[in-house]
Amino acid sequence: MSAEENKKIIEEGRAVLGIELGSTRIKAVLVNEKNQPVASGSHEWENQYVNNIWTYSEEAIWTGIQDSYQDMARDVKEKYGVEITKLGAIGFSAMMHGYMPFDKEDKLLVPFRTWRNTMTEQASEELTELFAYHIPQRWSIAHLYQAMLNKEEHVKDITFMTTLEGYVHWKLTGEKVLGVGEASGMFPVDMNIKNYDEKRMEQFEKLAAPYGYPWKLHKILPKVLLAGEEAGRLTKEGAKLLDTTGKLEAGIPFCPPEGDAGTGMVATNSVAKRTGNVSAGTSVFAMVVLEKELSKVYPEIDLVTTPTGNLVAMVHCNNCTSDLNAWVGIFKEFSEAMGIQVDMNQLFGTLYRKAMEGDADCGGLLAYNYFSGEHITGFEEGRPLFVRTPESRFNLANFMRVNLFTALGALKTGMDILLKEEGVKLDKILGHGGLFKTKGVGQNILAAAIDTPVTVMETAGEGGAWGIAVLASYMINKEEGETLEEYLDNKVFAGQEGVEVQPDEKDVKGFDEFMVRYKEGLAIERAAVDHLLSYDR
């Protein structure tokens, strides 16, 4: 759409705003009626480690939201010469999980405990056994139960608990609600009723009964809403909180607040069954939309839902490109030592493409990219390693190839459970993130790892802030009976097919051969963790 058309949409209050609170950045994206971004703003922030807890303060949350909103409003003024007073709809998203409990005075009882905290191991294990359903440490119910096990004083005073975007949404609208995708990271959701699992809710109530608390779990959790439902409207107090200049009017409708996993699925058009996406950067995770429940509990697989309540298997790995980037940095140092200045994009591209000349199985080389622990393979700490035998084919192509393969090694371990043990069917996977920037490399290697066609969009997508803006737009612009899948296909991604590659049979076989070596070599990684102390100890 033209700048004049976008200006008119903003002036008439038809533009839609999405804001996502990520781990290091809060981003605001304004979209027009074709879901095209017309303005954006952002705010950088960092979590704090306070009293052994990873947290963000309430002040930091609101300062960040207000700053990102004002940055977006400045972008609008500079581009279109107008100021925002009305909006068609608003949506908020944030990093999933964590723990924010409040008392009857609406006071936060303990500092926000983020997804990053690994302090709920006992609760995670006991609830997983009780529910016969994997409850990761970062889930809200694990945090609550661990606080109960620890006999924390605040637990008796809880009247409401939520996650980060649920908290922001509540303060802006007065509504204690969550989108089903985010709710599924608080407590297990029944995909048939698209609400909290009633049987497991009863199991928890029995477990909690001896503690004698005055609350019941179903009373203190947010109400669950589906994509497309209205989740409240901006109050006068909320308008002043969001826009400190006082120009924004109250009454704007809000879509259900969603987690970053859900907005990532929307932003990559991966909400339909038999589809999925892989995000590969510093960490790597896959989201696969299932047709039915898995046959048993797997500690390697988390279960959440799409924003419409369909079951999603999530394979999350802590390590992906950090070690690969470190090796590229070594090549940069070498080039500079030789008096050659190199462009980093060119260097990455050259080295990545070189990997495609290597042997299918990396010539017998082995590497581990474990900067930190990796739960899928059972490591609480990591040590990056490169190992070879005298007979290995040690050359640059194989060296780069093995470092690209190992970036997806832990992910393949989890994906093999889904695709080979559970027989999950996948029609396509969409890849996004830094691993896929060099055309035809990361994409082909992922296709080989999971033996599935992989699509990469020409544009890497606008990320989760755009995803939640699209969900807000869907709420007000959908036609009668139009599903989210149909809306994304017809109104958002029409004509954006991207580039698809099919798995190469030789590469698939080579990756499987590498994985035999990878699994056998985990004993080497274990020895390194046990005997090689961290440098800063």
Side-chain angles (χ1 to χ4, degrees):
M1 298 179 78
S2 70
E4 272 304 312
E5 288 173 309
N6 287 331
K7 177 182 176 181
K8 186 178 181 185
I9 286 169
I10 295 167
E11 280 183 314
E12 294 178 356
R14 290 183 282 133
V16 171
L17 175 64
I19 297 182
E20 181 161 281
L21 293 87
S23 298
T24 59
R25 184 171 67 150
I26 300 172
K27 185 172 182 182
V29 172
L30 194 70
V31 303
N32 60 25
E33 289 168 320
K34 291 188 179 294
N35 295 292
Q36 298 162 334
V38 297
S40 65
S42 65
H43 171 86
E44 305 295 320
W45 71 337
E46 286 289 345
N47 52 196
Q48 297 90 43
Y49 195 56
V50 182
N51 297 324
N52 299 318
I53 301 285
W54 288 107
T55 188
Y56 299 86
S57 68
E58 287 181 277
E59 181 184 4
I61 292 167
W62 290 109
T63 299
I65 290 170
Q66 291 161 357
D67 189 42
S68 65
Y69 180 86
Q70 288 305 322
D71 195 34
M72 178 275 301
R74 279 191 295 272
D75 193 29
V76 167
K77 189 73 184 289
E78 288 171 9
K79 285 179 177 173
Y80 309 105
V82 296
E83 292 184 330
I84 299 170
T85 57
K86 296 183 292 183
L87 290 165
I90 300 176
F92 269 86
S93 174
M95 52 196 123
M96 287 183 76
H97 317 296
Y99 181 64
M100 297 187 82
F102 296 86
D103 66 12
K104 62 183 179 182
E105 307 296 331
D106 295 342
K107 177 187 170 189
L108 186 61
L109 289 164
V110 293
F112 168 38
R113 296 173 183 177
T114 78
W115 64 272
R116 192 176 180 185
N117 290 287
T118 53
M119 54 198 283
T120 63
E121 184 176 7
Q122 182 184 354
S124 170
E125 290 175 355
E126 290 186 13
L127 290 176
T128 295
E129 184 176 353
L130 175 70
F131 295 153
Y133 192 100
H134 184 216
I135 304 295
Q137 287 201 49
R138 60 186 184 274
W139 280 31
S140 306
I141 190 63
H143 279 283
L144 173 64
Y145 186 48
Q146 191 66 52
M148 293 163 59
L149 292 171
N150 294 346
K151 297 183 169 54
E152 293 189 42
E153 183 66 22
H154 78 270
V155 179
K156 70 180 190 317
D157 298 320
I158 297 174
T159 59
F160 176 54
M161 61 178 280
T162 189
T163 60
L164 179 55
E165 71 271 36
Y167 160 69
V168 172
H169 182 99
W170 168 42
K171 291 299 180 184
L172 295 176
T173 66
E175 299 293 335
K176 297 177 177 179
V177 300
L178 271 186
V180 65
E182 175 69 346
S184 70
M186 288 194 81
F187 190 87
V189 161
D190 182 337
M191 64 183 290
N192 296 310
I193 63 170
K194 301 190 189 304
N195 207 330
Y196 300 119
D197 188 294
E198 293 172 353
K199 177 188 170 188
R200 293 180 173 108
M201 189 73 74
E202 288 174 11
Q203 289 174 322
F204 186 86
E205 301 289 16
K206 286 180 183 176
L207 182 67
Y211 289 85
Y213 295 124
W215 48 261
K216 296 288 186 186
L217 182 62
H218 69 278
K219 294 284 190 182
I220 65 172
L221 287 176
K223 181 183 177 183
V224 178
L225 296 176
L226 303 180
E229 295 186 279
E230 186 177 308
R233 290 183 174 250
L234 185 66
T235 63
K236 288 182 179 178
E237 297 78 15
K240 291 173 187 172
L241 194 53
L242 179 57
D243 178 11
T244 54
T245 68
K247 292 169 185 156
L248 190 63
E249 297 175 8
I252 300 164
F254 273 58
C255 72
E258 267 298 350
D260 53 2
T263 57
M265 284 185 270
V266 171
T268 55
N269 195 17
S270 317
V271 298
K273 292 176 182 179
R274 296 172 68 112
T275 69
N277 73 87
V278 170
S279 173
T282 305
S283 62
V284 59
F285 63 86
M287 311 286 293
V288 176
V289 187
L290 303 176
E291 295 178 282
K292 60 181 181 179
E293 293 197 20
L294 301 180
S295 66
K296 61 181 180 180
V297 178
Y298 297 95
E300 301 90 347
I301 310 292
D302 299 348
L303 293 173
V304 290
T305 77
T306 67
T308 54
N310 289 327
L311 196 63
V312 176
M314 181 178 188
V315 181
H316 186 279
C317 311
N318 293 336
N319 303 281
C320 187
T321 59
S322 292
D323 196 39
L324 189 54
N325 294 345
W327 280 114
V328 174
I330 289 289
F331 287 108
K332 177 176 184 283
E333 282 191 48
F334 168 74
S335 298
E336 290 173 347
M338 293 289 290
I340 305 167
Q341 293 298 316
V342 294
D343 174 78
M344 286 304 289
N345 288 329
Q346 183 183 8
L347 183 59
F348 268 102
T350 300
L351 291 171
Y352 273 37
R353 285 187 289 272
K354 190 69 180 175
M356 304 311 288
E357 300 173 17
D359 296 316
D361 70 340
C362 310
L365 305 184
L366 179 61
Y368 293 99
N369 62 334
Y370 293 6
F371 260 59
S372 63
E374 197 58 81
H375 74 101
I376 284 184
T377 48
F379 286 87
E380 67 292 336
E381 290 184 56
R383 301 289 183 270
L385 283 179
F386 170 69
V387 188
R388 64 188 176 102
T389 67
E391 297 79 25
S392 300
R393 287 173 51 82
F394 184 39
N395 55 43
L396 181 59
N398 281 336
F399 178 77
M400 288 308 302
R401 190 175 181 89
V402 78
N403 278 290
L404 282 160
F405 271 34
T406 201
L408 299 176
L411 182 80
K412 179 170 172 59
T413 304
M415 289 296 288
D416 279 354
I417 292 171
L418 293 176
L419 302 177
K420 295 180 179 179
E421 293 185 34
E422 286 287 330
V424 170
K425 302 299 181 190
L426 260 179
D427 294 330
K428 67 172 182 176
I429 278 276
L430 193 137
H432 55 111
L435 187 70
F436 304 104
K437 282 185 179 176
T438 301
K439 278 190 179 180
V441 180
Q443 187 178 6
N444 276 286
I445 287 171
L446 176 60
I450 60 176
D451 196 10
T452 300
V454 175
T455 299
V456 172
M457 295 288 188
E458 287 297 330
T459 58
E462 296 290 336
W466 179 66
I468 191 67
V470 169
L471 283 171
S473 177
Y474 169 66
M475 176 185 71
I476 61 169
N477 293 320
K478 67 182 185 300
E479 296 174 19
E480 186 70 33
E482 187 176 28
T483 66
L484 178 60
E485 292 89 336
E486 290 167 344
Y487 183 80
L488 293 176
D489 281 341
N490 301 329
K491 309 279 179 62
V492 182
F493 291 95
Q496 297 182 38
E497 294 303 316
V499 177
E500 181 182 272
V501 301
Q502 296 290 328
D504 182 282
E505 189 178 336
K506 178 168 61 72
D507 288 342
V508 172
K509 186 169 180 286
F511 210 117
D512 284 339
E513 289 170 4
F514 163 77
M515 285 305 293
V516 172
R517 201 156 60 247
Y518 183 93
K519 290 171 184 174
E520 286 289 325
L522 288 171
I524 308 169
E525 176 70 18
R526 172 54 59 194
V529 170
D530 291 345
H531 298 287
L532 186 63
L533 294 181
S534 292
Y535 184 66
D536 58 357
R537 284 187 183 175

